[in-house]
Amino acid sequence: MTCRERKRVSGGSLGRSGEPMNVALFCETYVPYINGVVTHVKALHDGLVKLGHNVLVVTVDTSAYRHYIQDGVLYCPAKTLKKLYNFGLASPVSMRRYRMLRSFQPDVIHIHQEFGVGLSGAFIARQLRVPLVYTLHTMYDDYLYYIVPERLIPAVQKLAHRFFGGIAKQATEVTGPSMKVQDYLDTCGVRKSVNVVPNPVELDVFSPSSIDRTKAEAIRRQYGVLEDETLAAFCGRLGKEKSVDVLLDNWAKHVRREDRLKLMILGGGPCLEELRAQAEQLGIGEMVIFTDAVEHDQLPAYYGACQLYVTASLSDTNSISMKEAMATGLPVVHIHDPLNAGQVVDGVNGFIYQDGEEMYRIFKRYQAMTPEERQSLTNSVISSVKIYGCEALAKYLVEVYERAILEKASGTDKE
């Protein structure tokens, strides 16, 4: 396989040896904190355990003064970063952490974020001479505005490319949830192919049978959504990179009150108040509902209150929130995004639009469907995400781990 060839993996359980592996998963955030990376790592952990592997999650605890292990999680002391959603930053160097990992005897180290904890994972993998698997979840060019003034972004972007590219070069295998990761690493100058491993979804939690219909109806009443109105949802952290402002602009240009369409924005974030003000200024305040942050276990009921999921974001790599909505049966109205092609198949699990006018036409086409046509589409949407459960994710990664172990043993793991 050439270094430029794209890889998509499948299969696997206990691996070629038939023996369980010791897998260390490094991430800067973990449950009870909820975000896309946490959801991914938790699903991977659960899937690997179901397949019989031994898993140690390594993460931070901003209230801890020492390293400790509890319920299969190694917690590392960290400082709170208030500018970045109160994330914790641990020191990348810790002999105590190194010794605890050495005692665990990992067959593979898998890092999911690239800062204090993630860097220590890369360091420990090198010291223990075990393969390093790196999953790049985030297109960081879209997030630099959080930490530097706009005028400095071009310079910091170059440094970021060197930093993240350097980690990818050290890794034995690299994975990512979509081809956007390959495109990003190409930009960083990394000549290494990416294993495309789709993000998981908790199928048992986000299923139509798990939705409390009484709560769903109460949510519609709470926000004044009438029975004959179509409610479209977007869910995510409200930062600039999510392009909710674009969604609002499109709504203002094309949707009218008589269309019986409303938009529910699920989530909080730094742009929440700015977006609320934008909706009012555009004259669509009565058609747009902002819920602020919603607890993860409440999301199924909110999705149950909606008929569609809509997004204008081009920053996501295989959005977990979108897939959770799909698991409940919501068709997705997704802006054209070539590097995420295939996630939404027009007419099968949603619809692709090029601009606001086409988005509006899709809404009207959905409203014109018969109940039977809508139910058929719902069934198709649900079927499309059944392959993204926890065990499926773990099987994908087991194959990557086995390949990484062989490459490390043969010395072919260099870029």
Side-chain angles (χ1 to χ4, degrees):
M1 179 176 289
T2 66
C3 65
R4 305 298 299 153
E5 184 179 348
R6 269 61 167 166
K7 294 180 285 187
R8 186 176 295 272
V9 299
S10 62
S13 55
L14 279 181
R16 296 181 181 88
S17 67
E19 297 294 328
M21 288 186 284
N22 292 345
V23 181
L25 306 175
F26 283 67
C27 50
E28 313 292 332
T29 53
Y30 197 57
V31 288
Y33 193 93
I34 295 295
N35 59 32
V37 175
V38 172
T39 300
H40 184 106
V41 176
K42 180 64 166 61
L44 176 56
H45 167 277
D46 292 351
L48 288 170
V49 169
K50 284 181 181 179
L51 294 178
H53 299 289
N54 306 308
V55 184
L56 179 67
V57 176
V58 184
T59 190
V60 305
D61 181 352
T62 56
S63 64
Y65 295 97
R66 59 180 180 81
H67 290 76
Y68 67 97
I69 294 178
Q70 182 176 309
D71 298 327
V73 181
L74 169 55
Y75 292 96
C76 310
K79 294 187 178 297
T80 302
L81 298 177
K82 292 185 178 179
K83 273 193 81 172
L84 289 174
Y85 300 104
N86 291 320
F87 284 0
L89 180 64
S91 169
V93 179
S94 167
M95 289 306 298
R96 172 66 174 161
R97 194 179 312 154
Y98 168 75
R99 287 193 293 268
M100 294 174 87
L101 263 295
R102 186 177 60 188
S103 296
F104 178 66
Q105 296 182 326
D107 295 297
V108 64
I109 285 177
H110 186 173
I111 62 173
H112 291 265
Q113 286 161 314
E114 309 85 350
F115 304 105
V117 165
L119 285 177
S120 73
F123 168 78
I124 292 169
R126 186 165 58 247
Q127 296 301 308
L128 296 180
R129 298 181 180 178
V130 299
L132 175 68
V133 174
Y134 171 36
T135 295
L136 179 60
H137 290 275
T138 306
M139 302 297 94
Y140 284 101
D141 287 358
D142 296 320
Y143 294 80
L144 295 178
Y145 74 90
Y146 281 111
I147 56 175
V148 297
E150 187 173 352
R151 69 181 186 278
L152 297 179
I153 285 179
V156 174
Q157 191 177 76
K158 291 181 181 178
L159 293 174
H161 288 177
R162 291 180 62 184
F163 175 75
F164 298 113
I167 296 174
K169 288 177 181 178
Q170 181 189 332
T172 311
E173 289 284 342
V174 179
T175 84
S178 82
M179 289 309 302
K180 285 190 175 184
V181 175
Q182 185 72 69
D183 187 66
Y184 184 76
L185 291 183
D186 289 348
T187 303
C188 294
V190 179
R191 293 188 56 80
K192 184 170 286 187
S193 56
V194 172
N195 300 280
V196 177
V197 180
N199 275 327
V201 60
E202 297 170 289
L203 296 175
D204 54 336
V205 175
F206 292 90
S207 70
S209 62
S210 298
I211 295 173
D212 186 325
R213 295 297 171 181
T214 302
K215 282 186 179 179
E217 292 169 7
I219 289 168
R220 288 179 69 94
R221 288 196 301 272
Q222 176 186 346
Y223 291 104
V225 182
L226 302 180
E227 187 174 346
D228 66 340
E229 290 181 321
T230 301
L231 185 58
F234 169 80
C235 180
R237 181 182 60 245
L238 300 186
K240 292 179 182 178
E241 70 282 354
K242 298 300 182 181
S243 298
V244 176
D245 59 327
V246 175
L247 201 54
L248 296 180
D249 284 338
N250 287 338
W251 208 272
K253 288 177 183 175
H254 302 285
V255 180
R256 298 292 176 262
R257 288 184 180 87
E258 56 268 26
D259 289 317
R260 316 299 287 172
L261 278 163
K262 286 187 175 178
L263 174 64
M264 177 175 278
I265 308 295
L266 300 162
C271 294
L272 174 58
E273 295 308 319
E274 180 182 330
L275 291 168
R276 277 179 170 155
Q278 180 186 353
E280 292 299 326
Q281 290 165 5
L282 291 170
I284 57 174
E286 293 181 4
M287 290 188 284
V288 182
I289 299 161
F290 291 93
T291 66
D292 207 335
V294 174
E295 293 295 327
H296 192 250
D297 61 357
Q298 297 301 310
L299 281 176
Y302 277 85
Y303 289 144
C306 301
Q307 284 91 17
L308 296 165
Y309 186 94
V310 61
T311 180
S313 175
L314 292 171
S315 68
D316 290 318
T317 55
N318 200 265
S319 166
I320 290 179
S321 295
M322 181 184 78
K323 292 170 85 168
E324 289 173 343
M326 292 167 71
T328 67
L330 298 190
V332 174
V333 182
H334 201 299
I335 193 167
H336 178 62
D337 186 359
L339 291 175
N340 270 333
Q343 294 175 28
V344 176
V345 180
D346 211 77
V348 175
N349 55 8
F351 308 93
I352 304 296
Y353 68 93
Q354 301 284 343
D355 53 32
E357 184 177 354
E358 189 172 9
M359 179 195 77
Y360 173 71
R361 289 200 302 267
I362 289 169
F363 289 150
K364 298 305 291 183
R365 192 196 322 165
Y366 177 83
Q367 287 182 316
M369 287 181 176
T370 65
E372 292 76 19
E373 288 172 332
R374 290 189 188 184
Q375 187 59 53
S376 177
L377 178 58
T378 294
N379 294 340
S380 180
V381 173
I382 293 168
S383 294
S384 74
V385 295
K386 284 185 176 178
I387 61 172
Y388 299 125
C390 298
E391 287 191 46
L393 173 68
K395 288 178 180 179
Y396 282 137
L397 267 304
V398 163
E399 184 173 315
V400 175
Y401 296 160
E402 288 286 343
R403 184 164 60 247
I405 290 168
L406 290 174
E407 290 169 0
K408 189 72 177 178
S410 64
T412 60
D413 61 325
K414 305 301 180 185
E415 186 190 21

